[in-house]
PDB file of all heavy atoms in Angstrom:
ATOM      1  N   SER A   1       0.829  -1.211   0.000  1.00  0.00           N
ATOM      2  CA  SER A   1       0.000   0.000   0.000  1.00  0.00           C
ATOM      3  C   SER A   1       0.859   1.255   0.000  1.00  0.00           C
ATOM      4  O   SER A   1       0.535   2.263  -0.625  1.00  0.00           O
ATOM      5  CB  SER A   1      -0.949   0.003   1.199  1.00  0.00           C
ATOM      6  OG  SER A   1      -0.226   0.063   2.419  1.00  0.00           O
ATOM      7  N   GLN A   2       2.008   1.212   0.710  1.00  0.00           N
ATOM      8  CA  GLN A   2       2.905   2.361   0.736  1.00  0.00           C
ATOM      9  C   GLN A   2       3.549   2.586  -0.630  1.00  0.00           C
ATOM     10  O   GLN A   2       3.683   3.725  -1.085  1.00  0.00           O
ATOM     11  CB  GLN A   2       3.981   2.149   1.804  1.00  0.00           C
ATOM     12  CG  GLN A   2       3.472   2.281   3.223  1.00  0.00           C
ATOM     13  CD  GLN A   2       4.562   2.030   4.249  1.00  0.00           C
ATOM     14  OE1 GLN A   2       5.455   1.211   4.031  1.00  0.00           O
ATOM     15  NE2 GLN A   2       4.490   2.731   5.375  1.00  0.00           N
ATOM     16  N   VAL A   3       3.953   1.493  -1.293  1.00  0.00           N
ATOM     17  CA  VAL A   3       4.533   1.605  -2.640  1.00  0.00           C
ATOM     18  C   VAL A   3       3.512   2.182  -3.603  1.00  0.00           C
ATOM     19  O   VAL A   3       3.823   3.054  -4.428  1.00  0.00           O
ATOM     20  CB  VAL A   3       5.032   0.233  -3.130  1.00  0.00           C
ATOM     21  CG1 VAL A   3       5.419   0.300  -4.605  1.00  0.00           C
ATOM     22  CG2 VAL A   3       6.214  -0.235  -2.299  1.00  0.00           C
ATOM     23  N   THR A   4       2.259   1.724  -3.495  1.00  0.00           N
ATOM     24  CA  THR A   4       1.192   2.257  -4.354  1.00  0.00           C
ATOM     25  C   THR A   4       0.991   3.746  -4.102  1.00  0.00           C
ATOM     26  O   THR A   4       0.819   4.541  -5.039  1.00  0.00           O
ATOM     27  CB  THR A   4      -0.124   1.500  -4.096  1.00  0.00           C
ATOM     28  OG1 THR A   4       0.073   0.110  -4.364  1.00  0.00           O
ATOM     29  CG2 THR A   4      -1.239   2.038  -4.984  1.00  0.00           C
ATOM     30  N   ALA A   5       1.034   4.153  -2.817  1.00  0.00           N
ATOM     31  CA  ALA A   5       0.852   5.565  -2.473  1.00  0.00           C
ATOM     32  C   ALA A   5       1.967   6.416  -3.062  1.00  0.00           C
ATOM     33  O   ALA A   5       1.727   7.506  -3.600  1.00  0.00           O
ATOM     34  CB  ALA A   5       0.803   5.721  -0.952  1.00  0.00           C
ATOM     35  N   VAL A   6       3.227   5.932  -2.977  1.00  0.00           N
ATOM     36  CA  VAL A   6       4.355   6.668  -3.546  1.00  0.00           C
ATOM     37  C   VAL A   6       4.199   6.792  -5.058  1.00  0.00           C
ATOM     38  O   VAL A   6       4.427   7.865  -5.643  1.00  0.00           O
ATOM     39  CB  VAL A   6       5.683   5.979  -3.197  1.00  0.00           C
ATOM     40  CG1 VAL A   6       6.832   6.603  -3.988  1.00  0.00           C
ATOM     41  CG2 VAL A   6       5.969   6.096  -1.708  1.00  0.00           C
ATOM     42  N   THR A   7       3.799   5.697  -5.706  1.00  0.00           N
ATOM     43  CA  THR A   7       3.618   5.711  -7.164  1.00  0.00           C
ATOM     44  C   THR A   7       2.563   6.734  -7.574  1.00  0.00           C
ATOM     45  O   THR A   7       2.744   7.502  -8.526  1.00  0.00           O
ATOM     46  CB  THR A   7       3.208   4.320  -7.658  1.00  0.00           C
ATOM     47  OG1 THR A   7       4.207   3.369  -7.261  1.00  0.00           O
ATOM     48  CG2 THR A   7       3.067   4.297  -9.175  1.00  0.00           C
ATOM     49  N   MET A   8       1.440   6.764  -6.841  1.00  0.00           N
ATOM     50  CA  MET A   8       0.370   7.721  -7.156  1.00  0.00           C
ATOM     51  C   MET A   8       0.828   9.153  -6.920  1.00  0.00           C
ATOM     52  O   MET A   8       0.511  10.053  -7.704  1.00  0.00           O
ATOM     53  CB  MET A   8      -0.862   7.409  -6.314  1.00  0.00           C
ATOM     54  CG  MET A   8      -1.540   6.077  -6.660  1.00  0.00           C
ATOM     55  SD  MET A   8      -2.942   5.710  -5.583  1.00  0.00           S
ATOM     56  CE  MET A   8      -4.046   7.068  -5.999  1.00  0.00           C
ATOM     57  N   LYS A   9       1.584   9.379  -5.844  1.00  0.00           N
ATOM     58  CA  LYS A   9       2.079  10.723  -5.568  1.00  0.00           C
ATOM     59  C   LYS A   9       3.019  11.204  -6.671  1.00  0.00           C
ATOM     60  O   LYS A   9       2.970  12.355  -7.092  1.00  0.00           O
ATOM     61  CB  LYS A   9       2.797  10.749  -4.221  1.00  0.00           C
ATOM     62  CG  LYS A   9       1.878  10.792  -3.022  1.00  0.00           C
ATOM     63  CD  LYS A   9       1.139  12.120  -2.951  1.00  0.00           C
ATOM     64  CE  LYS A   9       0.298  12.218  -1.710  1.00  0.00           C
ATOM     65  NZ  LYS A   9      -0.466  13.502  -1.672  1.00  0.00           N
ATOM     66  N   LEU A  10       3.890  10.301  -7.150  1.00  0.00           N
ATOM     67  CA  LEU A  10       4.804  10.680  -8.228  1.00  0.00           C
ATOM     68  C   LEU A  10       4.039  11.023  -9.495  1.00  0.00           C
ATOM     69  O   LEU A  10       4.400  11.949 -10.229  1.00  0.00           O
ATOM     70  CB  LEU A  10       5.795   9.537  -8.491  1.00  0.00           C
ATOM     71  CG  LEU A  10       6.888   9.339  -7.435  1.00  0.00           C
ATOM     72  CD1 LEU A  10       7.718   8.100  -7.761  1.00  0.00           C
ATOM     73  CD2 LEU A  10       7.792  10.560  -7.344  1.00  0.00           C
ATOM     74  N   ALA A  11       2.965  10.278  -9.780  1.00  0.00           N
ATOM     75  CA  ALA A  11       2.146  10.574 -10.953  1.00  0.00           C
ATOM     76  C   ALA A  11       1.484  11.939 -10.824  1.00  0.00           C
ATOM     77  O   ALA A  11       1.411  12.711 -11.782  1.00  0.00           O
ATOM     78  CB  ALA A  11       1.090   9.485 -11.136  1.00  0.00           C
ATOM     79  N   GLU A  12       0.996  12.277  -9.613  1.00  0.00           N
ATOM     80  CA  GLU A  12       0.381  13.581  -9.386  1.00  0.00           C
ATOM     81  C   GLU A  12       1.402  14.702  -9.561  1.00  0.00           C
ATOM     82  O   GLU A  12       1.104  15.744 -10.154  1.00  0.00           O
ATOM     83  CB  GLU A  12      -0.217  13.625  -7.974  1.00  0.00           C
ATOM     84  CG  GLU A  12      -1.427  12.729  -7.792  1.00  0.00           C
ATOM     85  CD  GLU A  12      -1.900  12.693  -6.343  1.00  0.00           C
ATOM     86  OE1 GLU A  12      -1.327  13.435  -5.526  1.00  0.00           O
ATOM     87  OE2 GLU A  12      -2.827  11.919  -6.053  1.00  0.00           O
ATOM     88  N   LEU A  13       2.622  14.478  -9.041  1.00  0.00           N
ATOM     89  CA  LEU A  13       3.672  15.486  -9.188  1.00  0.00           C
ATOM     90  C   LEU A  13       4.042  15.681 -10.652  1.00  0.00           C
ATOM     91  O   LEU A  13       4.302  16.799 -11.096  1.00  0.00           O
ATOM     92  CB  LEU A  13       4.904  15.078  -8.385  1.00  0.00           C
ATOM     93  CG  LEU A  13       4.807  15.223  -6.859  1.00  0.00           C
ATOM     94  CD1 LEU A  13       6.057  14.673  -6.196  1.00  0.00           C
ATOM     95  CD2 LEU A  13       4.594  16.673  -6.457  1.00  0.00           C
ATOM     96  N   GLN A  14       4.068  14.586 -11.407  1.00  0.00           N
ATOM     97  CA  GLN A  14       4.394  14.696 -12.833  1.00  0.00           C
ATOM     98  C   GLN A  14       3.342  15.527 -13.556  1.00  0.00           C
ATOM     99  O   GLN A  14       3.671  16.379 -14.390  1.00  0.00           O
ATOM    100  CB  GLN A  14       4.484  13.303 -13.451  1.00  0.00           C
ATOM    101  CG  GLN A  14       4.982  13.316 -14.896  1.00  0.00           C
ATOM    102  CD  GLN A  14       5.202  11.924 -15.437  1.00  0.00           C
ATOM    103  OE1 GLN A  14       4.622  10.959 -14.948  1.00  0.00           O
ATOM    104  NE2 GLN A  14       6.030  11.809 -16.452  1.00  0.00           N
ATOM    105  N   SER A  15       2.068  15.308 -13.232  1.00  0.00           N
ATOM    106  CA  SER A  15       0.995  16.105 -13.844  1.00  0.00           C
ATOM    107  C   SER A  15       1.126  17.570 -13.468  1.00  0.00           C
ATOM    108  O   SER A  15       0.930  18.466 -14.295  1.00  0.00           O
ATOM    109  CB  SER A  15      -0.372  15.572 -13.390  1.00  0.00           C
ATOM    110  OG  SER A  15      -0.558  14.248 -13.801  1.00  0.00           O
ATOM    111  N   GLN A  16       1.496  17.824 -12.208  1.00  0.00           N
ATOM    112  CA  GLN A  16       1.643  19.207 -11.760  1.00  0.00           C
ATOM    113  C   GLN A  16       2.817  19.887 -12.451  1.00  0.00           C
ATOM    114  O   GLN A  16       2.744  21.066 -12.816  1.00  0.00           O
ATOM    115  CB  GLN A  16       1.829  19.232 -10.248  1.00  0.00           C
ATOM    116  CG  GLN A  16       1.564  20.604  -9.628  1.00  0.00           C
ATOM    117  CD  GLN A  16       1.308  20.508  -8.138  1.00  0.00           C
ATOM    118  OE1 GLN A  16       1.387  19.431  -7.557  1.00  0.00           O
ATOM    119  NE2 GLN A  16       1.018  21.627  -7.517  1.00  0.00           N
ATOM    120  N   VAL A  17       3.902  19.147 -12.654  1.00  0.00           N
ATOM    121  CA  VAL A  17       5.050  19.692 -13.369  1.00  0.00           C
ATOM    122  C   VAL A  17       4.674  20.040 -14.799  1.00  0.00           C
ATOM    123  O   VAL A  17       5.064  21.081 -15.330  1.00  0.00           O
ATOM    124  CB  VAL A  17       6.233  18.706 -13.339  1.00  0.00           C
ATOM    125  CG1 VAL A  17       7.307  19.116 -14.335  1.00  0.00           C
ATOM    126  CG2 VAL A  17       6.829  18.640 -11.946  1.00  0.00           C
ATOM    127  N   LEU A  18       3.872  19.194 -15.440  1.00  0.00           N
ATOM    128  CA  LEU A  18       3.440  19.472 -16.808  1.00  0.00           C
ATOM    129  C   LEU A  18       2.603  20.751 -16.865  1.00  0.00           C
ATOM    130  O   LEU A  18       2.743  21.558 -17.787  1.00  0.00           O
ATOM    131  CB  LEU A  18       2.646  18.280 -17.357  1.00  0.00           C
ATOM    132  CG  LEU A  18       3.445  17.003 -17.618  1.00  0.00           C
ATOM    133  CD1 LEU A  18       2.521  15.853 -18.033  1.00  0.00           C
ATOM    134  CD2 LEU A  18       4.494  17.234 -18.698  1.00  0.00           C
ATOM    135  N   ARG A  19       1.728  20.932 -15.857  1.00  0.00           N
ATOM    136  CA  ARG A  19       0.929  22.165 -15.814  1.00  0.00           C
ATOM    137  C   ARG A  19       1.822  23.384 -15.623  1.00  0.00           C
ATOM    138  O   ARG A  19       1.622  24.432 -16.247  1.00  0.00           O
ATOM    139  CB  ARG A  19      -0.109  22.099 -14.689  1.00  0.00           C
ATOM    140  CG  ARG A  19      -1.210  21.092 -14.906  1.00  0.00           C
ATOM    141  CD  ARG A  19      -2.411  21.381 -14.007  1.00  0.00           C
ATOM    142  NE  ARG A  19      -2.051  21.442 -12.608  1.00  0.00           N
ATOM    143  CZ  ARG A  19      -2.035  20.381 -11.799  1.00  0.00           C
ATOM    144  NH1 ARG A  19      -2.301  19.181 -12.274  1.00  0.00           N
ATOM    145  NH2 ARG A  19      -1.741  20.531 -10.516  1.00  0.00           N
ATOM    146  N   LEU A  20       2.803  23.264 -14.744  1.00  0.00           N
ATOM    147  CA  LEU A  20       3.736  24.370 -14.511  1.00  0.00           C
ATOM    148  C   LEU A  20       4.552  24.670 -15.760  1.00  0.00           C
ATOM    149  O   LEU A  20       4.819  25.828 -16.075  1.00  0.00           O
ATOM    150  CB  LEU A  20       4.658  24.037 -13.349  1.00  0.00           C
ATOM    151  CG  LEU A  20       4.045  24.155 -11.946  1.00  0.00           C
ATOM    152  CD1 LEU A  20       4.984  23.553 -10.909  1.00  0.00           C
ATOM    153  CD2 LEU A  20       3.727  25.592 -11.609  1.00  0.00           C
ATOM    154  N   ASN A  21       4.963  23.623 -16.471  1.00  0.00           N
ATOM    155  CA  ASN A  21       5.707  23.836 -17.718  1.00  0.00           C
ATOM    156  C   ASN A  21       4.876  24.620 -18.731  1.00  0.00           C
ATOM    157  O   ASN A  21       5.349  25.546 -19.382  1.00  0.00           O
ATOM    158  CB  ASN A  21       6.124  22.495 -18.322  1.00  0.00           C
ATOM    159  CG  ASN A  21       7.311  21.879 -17.601  1.00  0.00           C
ATOM    160  OD1 ASN A  21       8.021  22.566 -16.876  1.00  0.00           O
ATOM    161  ND2 ASN A  21       7.521  20.593 -17.797  1.00  0.00           N
ATOM    162  N   ALA A  22       3.609  24.206 -18.867  1.00  0.00           N
ATOM    163  CA  ALA A  22       2.726  24.893 -19.815  1.00  0.00           C
ATOM    164  C   ALA A  22       2.511  26.345 -19.408  1.00  0.00           C
ATOM    165  O   ALA A  22       2.532  27.259 -20.242  1.00  0.00           O
ATOM    166  CB  ALA A  22       1.387  24.159 -19.902  1.00  0.00           C
ATOM    167  N   LEU A  23       2.315  26.572 -18.101  1.00  0.00           N
ATOM    168  CA  LEU A  23       2.119  27.935 -17.607  1.00  0.00           C
ATOM    169  C   LEU A  23       3.376  28.762 -17.808  1.00  0.00           C
ATOM    170  O   LEU A  23       3.325  29.926 -18.212  1.00  0.00           O
ATOM    171  CB  LEU A  23       1.734  27.892 -16.127  1.00  0.00           C
ATOM    172  CG  LEU A  23       1.428  29.223 -15.440  1.00  0.00           C
ATOM    173  CD1 LEU A  23       0.324  29.967 -16.178  1.00  0.00           C
ATOM    174  CD2 LEU A  23       1.029  28.978 -13.985  1.00  0.00           C
ATOM    175  N   GLY A  24       4.548  28.155 -17.545  1.00  0.00           N
ATOM    176  CA  GLY A  24       5.807  28.862 -17.753  1.00  0.00           C
ATOM    177  C   GLY A  24       6.022  29.226 -19.215  1.00  0.00           C
ATOM    178  O   GLY A  24       6.501  30.318 -19.531  1.00  0.00           O
ATOM    179  N   ASP A  25       5.662  28.314 -20.118  1.00  0.00           N
ATOM    180  CA  ASP A  25       5.781  28.600 -21.549  1.00  0.00           C
ATOM    181  C   ASP A  25       4.923  29.797 -21.939  1.00  0.00           C
ATOM    182  O   ASP A  25       5.351  30.671 -22.702  1.00  0.00           O
ATOM    183  CB  ASP A  25       5.359  27.374 -22.369  1.00  0.00           C
ATOM    184  CG  ASP A  25       6.421  26.285 -22.360  1.00  0.00           C
ATOM    185  OD1 ASP A  25       7.605  26.621 -22.158  1.00  0.00           O
ATOM    186  OD2 ASP A  25       6.066  25.107 -22.552  1.00  0.00           O
ATOM    187  N   ARG A  26       3.685  29.847 -21.408  1.00  0.00           N
ATOM    188  CA  ARG A  26       2.795  30.962 -21.739  1.00  0.00           C
ATOM    189  C   ARG A  26       3.347  32.278 -21.212  1.00  0.00           C
ATOM    190  O   ARG A  26       3.304  33.307 -21.890  1.00  0.00           O
ATOM    191  CB  ARG A  26       1.395  30.719 -21.161  1.00  0.00           C
ATOM    192  CG  ARG A  26       0.636  29.593 -21.804  1.00  0.00           C
ATOM    193  CD  ARG A  26      -0.863  29.727 -21.571  1.00  0.00           C
ATOM    194  NE  ARG A  26      -1.204  29.765 -20.162  1.00  0.00           N
ATOM    195  CZ  ARG A  26      -1.459  28.691 -19.418  1.00  0.00           C
ATOM    196  NH1 ARG A  26      -1.375  27.492 -19.961  1.00  0.00           N
ATOM    197  NH2 ARG A  26      -1.786  28.814 -18.149  1.00  0.00           N
ATOM    198  N   LEU A  27       3.872  32.250 -19.981  1.00  0.00           N
ATOM    199  CA  LEU A  27       4.422  33.472 -19.397  1.00  0.00           C
ATOM    200  C   LEU A  27       5.657  33.939 -20.151  1.00  0.00           C
ATOM    201  O   LEU A  27       5.841  35.137 -20.386  1.00  0.00           O
ATOM    202  CB  LEU A  27       4.768  33.229 -17.927  1.00  0.00           C
ATOM    203  CG  LEU A  27       3.572  33.135 -16.973  1.00  0.00           C
ATOM    204  CD1 LEU A  27       4.017  32.644 -15.607  1.00  0.00           C
ATOM    205  CD2 LEU A  27       2.851  34.465 -16.858  1.00  0.00           C
ATOM    206  N   ALA A  28       6.527  32.999 -20.537  1.00  0.00           N
ATOM    207  CA  ALA A  28       7.725  33.365 -21.290  1.00  0.00           C
ATOM    208  C   ALA A  28       7.348  33.973 -22.636  1.00  0.00           C
ATOM    209  O   ALA A  28       7.940  34.955 -23.083  1.00  0.00           O
ATOM    210  CB  ALA A  28       8.613  32.139 -21.490  1.00  0.00           C
ATOM    211  N   GLU A  29       6.337  33.384 -23.276  1.00  0.00           N
ATOM    212  CA  GLU A  29       5.888  33.919 -24.572  1.00  0.00           C
ATOM    213  C   GLU A  29       5.273  35.296 -24.394  1.00  0.00           C
ATOM    214  O   GLU A  29       5.498  36.207 -25.190  1.00  0.00           O
ATOM    215  CB  GLU A  29       4.867  32.956 -25.186  1.00  0.00           C
ATOM    216  CG  GLU A  29       4.362  33.386 -26.550  1.00  0.00           C
ATOM    217  CD  GLU A  29       3.361  32.409 -27.132  1.00  0.00           C
ATOM    218  OE1 GLU A  29       3.088  31.380 -26.483  1.00  0.00           O
ATOM    219  OE2 GLU A  29       2.842  32.674 -28.235  1.00  0.00           O
ATOM    220  N   GLU A  30       4.478  35.455 -23.294  1.00  0.00           N
ATOM    221  CA  GLU A  30       3.821  36.729 -23.029  1.00  0.00           C
ATOM    222  C   GLU A  30       4.841  37.835 -22.796  1.00  0.00           C
ATOM    223  O   GLU A  30       4.653  38.983 -23.190  1.00  0.00           O
ATOM    224  CB  GLU A  30       2.916  36.586 -21.814  1.00  0.00           C
ATOM    225  CG  GLU A  30       1.840  37.636 -21.693  1.00  0.00           C
ATOM    226  CD  GLU A  30       0.785  37.501 -22.768  1.00  0.00           C
ATOM    227  OE1 GLU A  30       0.308  36.388 -23.033  1.00  0.00           O
ATOM    228  OE2 GLU A  30       0.461  38.543 -23.371  1.00  0.00           O
ATOM    229  N   ALA A  31       5.971  37.472 -22.147  1.00  0.00           N
ATOM    230  CA  ALA A  31       6.996  38.457 -21.825  1.00  0.00           C
ATOM    231  C   ALA A  31       8.006  38.639 -22.947  1.00  0.00           C
ATOM    232  O   ALA A  31       8.967  39.382 -22.794  1.00  0.00           O
ATOM    233  CB  ALA A  31       7.722  38.037 -20.546  1.00  0.00           C
TER     234      ALA A  31
END
């Protein structure tokens, strides 16, 4: 259960990083 929890957390972090990347790209383009 702990391994599953770590795996799910890493997947959530990866999704969050992708959102941040997209937001950063928009801000860089805007500036």
